[in-house]
Amino acid sequence: MKRISALICFAVLFLAAACSGGKQQGQMHPSLALTPAGVRQIRSGVNKAPLFQSAVRDLYAKADEALQRPVEVPVPKDGGGGYTHETHKRNYYDMYYMGLAWQISGNRAYADKVRDILLEYAKLYPTLGYHPMTLSPVRGKLFWQTLNESVWLVHSAMAYDCVYDAIPAETRSVIEENLLRPVARFIMEGTPDNRANFETFNKMHNHGTWAQAAVGMAGFAMGDEDLVRQALYGSREGGGFIRQLDCLFSPDGYFTEGAYYHRYAIWPFVLFAQAIDHNMPELGIFDYRDGIITRSVGTLLNMAYEGEFFHINDAMEKGYDAQELICAVDIAYAARPQDRFLLDVVQRYQGTVSVSDAGFKVARDIAAGLAEPLRLSSALYRDGAEGKDGGFAVLRGRGGSTLTFKATSHGLSHGHYDKLTIAYYDSGHEVLSDYGAARFHNIEAKYKGHYTPENKSYAMTSIAHNTLVADETSHFGGKIKESSKHSPRILAYSDEDPAFQYVAALDSCAYTGIRMSRWVALTELPFLQGPFVIDVLKAESDKPHTYDYPLHYNGHMVSLSVPYTRASETMKAFGTAPGYRHLWLEAEAAGAEGSTSYTWLCGNRLYSFTGLSTPASEVKLLRSGAGDPDFNLRSEPCLLLREKNLRSRTFAGCLESHGNYDPRVYETASDMEHSCIGIELEKDDAEGVSLLYSFKGGERLKVCINLINNSMTIKY
Amino acid sequence: MKRISALICFAVLFLAAACSGGKQQGQMHPSLALTPAGVRQIRSGVNKAPLFQSAVRDLYAKADEALQRPVEVPVPKDGGGGYTHETHKRNYYDMYYMGLAWQISGNRAYADKVRDILLEYAKLYPTLGYHPMTLSPVRGKLFWQTLNESVWLVHSAMAYDCVYDAIPAETRSVIEENLLRPVARFIMEGTPDNRANFETFNKMHNHGTWAQAAVGMAGFAMGDEDLVRQALYGSREGGGFIRQLDCLFSPDGYFTEGAYYHRYAIWPFVLFAQAIDHNMPELGIFDYRDGIITRSVGTLLNMAYEGEFFHINDAMEKGYDAQELICAVDIAYAARPQDRFLLDVVQRYQGTVSVSDAGFKVARDIAAGLAEPLRLSSALYRDGAEGKDGGFAVLRGRGGSTLTFKATSHGLSHGHYDKLTIAYYDSGHEVLSDYGAARFHNIEAKYKGHYTPENKSYAMTSIAHNTLVADETSHFGGKIKESSKHSPRILAYSDEDPAFQYVAALDSCAYTGIRMSRWVALTELPFLQGPFVIDVLKAESDKPHTYDYPLHYNGHMVSLSVPYTRASETMKAFGTAPGYRHLWLEAEAAGAEGSTSYTWLCGNRLYSFTGLSTPASEVKLLRSGAGDPDFNLRSEPCLLLREKNLRSRTFAGCLESHGNYDPRVYETASDMEHSCIGIELEKDDAEGVSLLYSFKGGERLKVCINLINNSMTIKY
């Protein structure tokens, strides 16, 4: 209700603004990344903002390079990484850089070149049908998918906005009528025979956000209120940018696809919001939904370890230095200058600012010494527009060690089948890892730069994650439709005591007839050198199952506490089931009575996992890369505990960081042996679980989980 | 002759110094790392040398920690990484830190604690027989090998030297008679029933240098001329430190074991030389053999890529930041202050200085702005005391790309069986790699931290290197005795033209009846984006052989230009021969008629190798890790070309760096395809080799090798 009335209120404001005549759309240029007032401030204050100065130097270098390049607007042919794709991509960056360079420098050559490129596009565009590649259901014209076309228009609109006043009206009219408006209409409506674009434009999805930002920003640049209105409120009921702000982020600013796509999704949000703020300040877009845009930037920044985003779902290596973040952090700061930690992000991780009003404010305030340290925190981020679809927890220890727990909804098409997954970061490394996506972005030879088939057959499967797998089957049978219907339930979350933080969640839908719940804690124990992670994963069923508990890690195997057999002359794939056929079985062993420990080396530390086991437990050492005809998978190791033919099983374990291994400087090694020497499951019933961990120094740790009031305690 | 007379001259000088009475040995304290004059300078100038200030802060932190620790001198029991080993190691560092701290601070608690530890050792030492572990043929008492005992004495002597004046004479006498002199004598003479130490002390080997430095420095600390004399001139004919300076380095300052052990070997050289210089300046030790000590430091610094030493022979990851280098660079600078580039090494890679007279000079001069940039260069370093045992070449391109070529002598017990091996570094990565050693230093679980059996069975074998392997057999049959008898002959070396540098060598002893020669060039071609490496490896024989040409690389496979079959459900070891049984056969293919190309991704660039091939050529994609029951090998990839049943074969190929792959910041990709599309062997006879490389832009490169006058030319 509240949301709907906010939306109505926005629409009314919009009408008021549009009708008042007090503010003529399209009259002020530039009005997207820059404003006339901003340009004046920049010109007079640039000497006092070294970071901006160097950003402008970089900009000029790029703009000058673009100036030298012959205008080249090829007929679209290739996919990602291919020639025409990369050329059209380069063109929008070229126009964007030159547009900004013209505004800052006043050198008309930049503006003329932008005009020339736009005119060349205005010749080509009307001749184009759909792109010849049919990989995407939402095909573009310049690119194989409309998504890239939207990104093209976002940048071209910003470029056009910058050079608007430098182009005669009749030339503008050619550019607008033959290019910008047709591209905007195509993105918004598609073609009569193919409504995929129309659907996407009104969809609650980040491709929709891009489409809306593109159309809206082109609208502002051309002074086309109709385009702006449709971008803001949809071209049909239930669509539009404002509504995306309600739907795509949870109340905690969590973006349902996870950090990697959050990074991408935030870009059109902040770019369009900045344009809205410049053109329609009365809408107060940055205040909407309690400032959801800037709050979401904060959430995204906290979804990272040492500047690198967590790898859940279809993630690749991205961090604070991604261009989207440079832009987002600048715009967030301009909107909320009280968030001075944003300046620290810029200083420490980005080292540059965007050439925009916002980027200038950031550079100026950094120079004025206003930066405050970024402090990452523990947090539970609820998922879902209403915050009711599970969540993602981040537990941070004193030294920066970070335990993550994924109990979110599926996460749309980039989601993976892994409920209740953990990852762990320590001493600069992703120690317990998430494979992320199977993709070599923009490398043509690797499935044209697209997600490779192994993304579905391995990376998305449950076995590729640090979660429970029953009967070699992925959660929800690997079916997105099913997986999208259910989310885990967060049972508990506590970060009050920095030395004992925990989170727990329950899932009873991933497998029919199996109830799985997981309790994980990040603790600091006075008798241990490093952090101590407790993991209790309960699987309960009426029928017998094979339960697999994988731990994917980074590093090199050091030791296993039981004798094992290593594949020596021949090595076989671990299985034939989805996911399983992509793992080589490097070694196997039977568990010890009581507990089994495994130690590996990662960076300058050792990590030891100790888990409950019996001689019937099977221990497997695995490595990704089997069943991979095109070398699309990275070669990464995994430890797996398997329990066969059991109705219920509680996997209880712990992970220690220990040792100080310095082979480089002083050649010293200390604390190379793990401390936990035994785990006893003292109680495990409907009321709770009670565990006793023993350590080599004679210490004991009692862990109690109360399943009635959903709480956890430790005692030592 | 010249060398012998220099030695005699030194001995005469020594006698003169010893007899003159003008300089009483042992009168001045401290006189090893510090001198009274140096301490005065430090005390008065420390405020102007921030790097030294922070080194002193670190020193105090370590010394204070040591002060808090109870004295613990356990009965020796464990090997490297084990408890007693690490405790004795910690003890000598503790004493060393506290000794220095006493000199700088004047806080007597430090001196007293050094005294207490020494006294505790003086109680234990006389009770000790040989160390219970029998891994080493040169066993120690405190440690499993005497080498560690020498390092112990070097540090303990420095500590004792520092606290000498703070200990009453009668206590000193206990320490000297029950500990320092017995340790020195043991290192020098061994025991009547075991002369291994005696042999080592007089051997031309870095263990001998350590032994001599230990005995000599203890001699200086105690004023024992006899010990000093034997350290300098041997305890028998042909031994001694001075002679090591003649034998262990080539005229170019190359150390025969390669950079990794050069780094270790240089330590006792510089430490003892510094002590000699302080106590017997009239010997002019730093001028000996045209300043071989400091020149050798320069050579070592040039045996690195971006501060990381080349990985030839038994190498692990070490670089300029190793403690030995901190010490060596400081001492070299104090000896040759005109080498201001040393200050740059300290600033950029080490960030700290040693607490010593030398370290203070470095810190003071850095603060005074005297640093000059370190400029690495191309070089051919001859191997062997006379410079006649082959050599090691470093070719450096404009952007820092570095091609290395190993055509050295065997390199003593840490040498590998790989003549004519190449490695290549570009854009911050070791692109064509050398496996180095199979070892996990100080990790007890990995063969007690020692070289693992796989060091011999894999890392040392020829197939583990980028060289030619015939009939699956290592060079010299993997026999060190044979390998140590022969060295390749350098045929050519040219670094005059930075855009075309080359080196070549010939070996006709590694395989009976096979003559192998290799010509490699690092070039820059105007039509290519990155450096272009040319490799021509000729194998000639009267009898048919199987020739393997492996390229070990870092990175991820991108594409192979011919269809291949990847191991999918089962994977087999590549072979059963030494080395071969440790490689998994991941994929195989038949070569194309003409040439075959292979591309991989490393960092943000692509690397493409293109090599001559026929359909009879076999292409194998391999990965280390087979036949490795204890997970002692790292998992690393290799490309291999195999030619079967041929008398002679010329492997001609090239390696391109291309592409600019940015998945992190801008998600752009350019030049992802290699340029070389064909190689033609136009001529290949006794007079020379002529090759024609074709490129996709239509360019051609003609490569001519003249085998009569041993020269190489290129033309495009």
Side-chain angles (χ1 to χ4, degrees), chain A residues 5 92 96 101 104 109 170 214 261 296 353 400 437 618 671 688:
Chain A
S5 45
Y92 69 66
Y96 171 60
I104 308 290
E170 57 275 30
Y261 273 100
S296 181
V353 293
E618 296 179 6
D671 293 301

Side-chain angles (χ1 to χ4, degrees), chain A residues 8-58:
Chain A
I8 292 170
C9 164
F10 260 63
V12 168
L13 263 174
F14 176 84
L15 283 172
C19 301
S20 71
K23 175 158 176 50
Q24 297 276 319
Q25 294 292 327
Q27 287 305 89
M28 176 180 83
H29 290 284
S31 73
L32 299 182
L34 293 166
T35 62
V39 172
R40 280 192 301 276
Q41 280 184 28
I42 288 168
R43 288 189 178 173
S44 70
V46 67
N47 292 335
K48 282 174 221 131
L51 220 46
F52 198 83
Q53 268 183 312
S54 86
V56 168
R57 259 198 305 277
D58 289 353

Side-chain angles (χ1 to χ4, degrees), chain A residues 235-421:
Chain A
S235 59
R236 75 160 172 223
E237 187 82 14
F241 183 76
I242 304 295
R243 210 176 135 72
Q244 299 253 26
L245 291 174
D246 293 332
C247 294
L248 283 198
F249 301 105
S250 84
D252 300 323
Y254 180 82
F255 179 71
T256 190
E257 296 185 83
Y260 179 81
Y261 273 100
H262 192 167
R263 174 260 335 156
Y264 190 60
I266 201 75
W267 204 10
F269 275 109
V270 293
L271 286 174
F272 192 22
Q274 168 184 253
I276 296 168
D277 194 48
H278 287 164
N279 288 279
M280 308 172 76
E282 63 283 6
L283 281 192
I285 190 71
F286 285 113
D287 297 326
Y288 187 75
R289 204 182 167 199
D290 301 324
I292 189 71
I293 295 175
T294 51
R295 273 194 302 124
S296 181
V297 171
T299 297
L300 176 55
L301 290 172
N302 203 29
M303 295 277 292
Y305 178 73
E306 296 197 351
E308 178 84 16
F309 294 123
F310 299 143
H311 296 149
I312 58 166
N313 294 330
D314 272 349
M316 298 182 69
E317 303 282 315
K318 285 277 187 183
Y320 292 174
D321 55 346
Q323 61 177 342
E324 302 90 335
L325 264 283
I326 294 169
C327 185
V329 168
D330 289 351
I331 293 172
Y333 179 74
R336 274 181 64 85
Q338 60 269 51
D339 288 348
R340 294 187 177 181
F341 63 88
L342 294 168
L343 303 177
D344 189 38
V345 173
V346 175
Q347 270 185 315
R348 276 204 295 153
Y349 293 97
Q350 301 179 335
T352 187
V353 293
S354 50
V355 176
S356 65
D357 286 17
F360 177 70
K361 284 177 188 156
V362 166
R364 181 196 62 196
D365 290 357
I366 285 175
L370 300 188
E372 284 175 7
L374 169 73
R375 287 191 217 288
L376 299 176
S377 58
S378 296
L380 171 66
Y381 296 119
R382 291 167 292 164
D383 189 6
E386 307 290 329
K388 291 176 180 165
D389 305 331
F392 186 90
V394 186
L395 304 180
R396 296 191 195 267
R398 277 198 193 101
S401 307
T402 302
L403 179 68
T404 68
F405 185 62
K406 183 192 180 213
T408 64
S409 69
H410 186 74
L412 309 183
S413 64
H414 292 297
H416 286 193
Y417 299 92
D418 65 319
K419 301 302 174 197
L420 317 190
T421 296

